């Protein structure tokens, strides 16, 4: 009897451990899927370097990195991944690109109205958004620049933002990246205020200098809040929405025009060359007949 009681107790213990492990895994999965990272793309100054598409697909960190390389990296050009919600212009390039990352903002939403407004819809100077699953703001900032500055003090964050504005208006060969970890409501409010001052200063100086500066604001937020806002927006605009699934993006239109007119030019050039060959007069080769006459005379 003792043996059977001990075996039953071991079985119950093993079952409880399995249930606890499954519960922990489910909780981890829910915590991972309940948060995402949003990249808000803002354009200041002359503009025209980036366009919004009709795609609403989520992206991966690698896809966001490819988009940044296509927009700002002059040494390592790579085409952006297909299906992105924003694409760079083929002919117009930005003079500078800046990545600003904010970690932990999803906990202090009420303390950061500026950042939360920018990752939402309808904000001024916002071209579009790219959504990435999970809390990957740190990874994205590190992918943007190998010299990315990770700052923990809000005062240093403000000084670095102002220095970045001066360098961006002067023109940057590569992207600059800075990130701040928000650890409290007070630091979140101060970082939000510094972000607002930085964007206002950058807008004024970019317009005055006539240059185009693109800012990529990387913010971690909760998926539930964004989905609720999107559902409300779709419900309000459903009646008069002009969305079309067959609509071509600006990038596709530009690519089509370049390929089409290049092909037309090559066909016209080929036709002109063939016409020149056909219209050539038939004349005896004096050099060939002259050498043949000399050889016949010598014989």
């Amino acid at each position: 009897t003792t043996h059977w009681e001990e075996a039953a107790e071991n079985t119950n213990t093993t079952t409880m451990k399995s249930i606890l492990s499954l519960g922990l895994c489910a909780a981890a999965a829910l915590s991972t899927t309940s948060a995402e990272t949003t990249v808000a793309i803002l354009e200041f100054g002359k503009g025209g370097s980036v366009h919004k598409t009709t795609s609403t697909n989520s992206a991966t960190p690698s896809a966001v990195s490819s988009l940044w390389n296509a927009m700002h990296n002059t040494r390592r050009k790579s085409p952006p991944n297909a299906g992105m919600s924003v694409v760079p212009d083929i002919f117009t390039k930005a003079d500078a690109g800046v990545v600003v990352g904010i970690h932990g903002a999803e906990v202090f939403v009420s303390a950061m109205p500026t950042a939360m407004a920018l990752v939402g819809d309808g904000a001024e100077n916002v071209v579009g958004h790219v959504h990435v699953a999970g809390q990957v703001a740190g990874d994205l900032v590190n992918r943007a620049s190998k010299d990315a500055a990770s700052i923990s003090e809000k005062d240093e964050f403000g000084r670095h933002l102002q220095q970045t504005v001066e360098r961006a208006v002067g023109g940057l060969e590569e992207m600059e990246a800075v990130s701040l970890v928000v650890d409290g409501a007070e630091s979140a409010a101060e970082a939000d205020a510094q972000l607002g001052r930085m964007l206002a200063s950058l807008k004024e100086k970019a317009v005055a200098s006539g240059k185009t500066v693109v800012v990529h604001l990387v913010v971690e937020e909760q998926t539930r809040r964004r989905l609720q806002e999107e559902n409300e927006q779709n419900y309000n605009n459903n009646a008069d929405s002009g969305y079309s699934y067959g609509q071509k993006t600006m990038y596709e239109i530009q690519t089509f025009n370049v390929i089409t007119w290049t092909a037309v030019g090559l066909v016209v050039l080929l036709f002109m060359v063939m016409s020149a060959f056909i219209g050539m007069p038939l004349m005896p080769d004096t050099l060939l007949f002259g050498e043949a006459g000399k050889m016949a005379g010598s014989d």
Side-chain angles (χ1 to χ4, degrees):
T1 304
T2 304
H3 174 73
W4 287 107
E5 290 179 353
E6 183 178 355
E9 184 178 356
N10 292 336
T11 303
N12 292 334
T13 302
T14 304
T15 304
M16 291 299 296
K17 289 182 178 180
S18 301
I19 295 174
L20 181 61
S21 299
L22 291 175
L24 292 175
C25 292
L30 289 175
S31 63
T32 302
T33 57
S34 63
E36 71 171 6
T37 301
T38 299
V39 182
I41 301 177
L42 298 85
E43 190 177 41
F44 299 97
K46 190 176 180 181
S49 64
V50 60
H51 305 282
K52 183 179 180 180
T53 69
T54 57
S55 175
T56 57
N57 298 331
S58 298
T60 62
S62 299
V64 176
S65 180
S66 298
L67 174 65
W68 288 346
N69 287 331
M71 292 179 61
H72 304 291
N73 197 333
T74 57
R75 299 179 181 177
R76 187 179 56 185
K77 283 287 184 180
S78 61
N81 290 21
M84 296 292 291
S85 57
V86 292
V87 292
D89 190 88
I90 297 179
F91 306 104
T92 305
K93 299 299 180 183
D95 297 298
V98 179
V99 176
V100 180
I102 301 179
H103 308 254
E106 74 279 2
V107 183
F108 309 101
V109 174
S110 59
M112 306 191 70
T114 302
M116 293 301 108
L118 293 174
V119 298
D121 294 328
E124 186 180 4
N125 297 115
V126 176
V127 179
H129 301 87
V130 178
H131 301 287
V132 184
Q135 297 178 338
V136 293
D139 183 23
L140 291 176
V141 172
N142 291 330
R143 287 171 180 266
S145 174
K146 61 181 180 181
D147 300 323
S150 180
I151 300 173
S152 57
E153 297 293 334
K154 56 182 182 297
D155 295 333
E156 184 182 355
F157 180 68
R159 288 193 297 269
H160 196 94
L161 287 180
Q162 293 303 321
Q163 294 173 1
T164 303
V165 169
E166 299 297 333
R167 289 193 293 268
V169 173
L172 296 172
E173 294 184 358
E174 295 184 355
M175 297 182 68
E176 281 206 8
V178 57
S179 64
L180 172 69
V181 178
V182 177
D183 56 1
E186 182 180 356
S187 63
E190 180 63 24
D192 190 71
Q194 292 172 352
L195 176 65
R197 289 193 293 268
M198 175 257 192
L199 296 178
S201 176
L202 182 59
K203 179 180 179 180
E204 179 182 357
K205 294 183 178 181
V207 171
S209 62
K211 293 187 177 180
T212 301
V213 181
V214 178
V215 177
H216 306 269
L217 179 62
V218 184
V219 180
E220 295 173 348
E221 61 170 347
Q222 293 181 357
T223 308
R224 182 178 302 175
R225 184 183 69 86
R226 184 182 69 83
L227 291 178
Q228 183 178 1
E229 292 178 354
E230 288 184 352
N231 290 335
E232 293 177 356
Q233 183 71 19
N234 292 334
Y235 177 79
N236 294 331
N237 298 334
N238 185 46
D240 56 350
S241 175
Y243 180 82
S244 174
Y245 287 97
Q247 183 179 356
K248 298 296 183 181
T249 64
M250 181 61 67
Y251 181 79
E252 292 173 340
I253 293 173
Q254 292 176 340
T255 304
F256 174 79
N257 288 336
V258 170
I259 296 175
T260 300
W261 289 109
T262 301
V264 170
L266 291 175
V267 170
V268 171
L269 180 61
L270 178 62
F271 179 77
M272 293 174 61
V273 172
M274 294 300 297
S275 299
F277 273 111
I278 295 174
M280 288 180 61
L282 297 178
M283 300 175 60
D285 191 340
T286 55
L287 178 61
L288 177 61
F289 284 101
E291 292 296 333
K294 292 180 179 179
M295 295 176 61
S298 62
D299 294 340

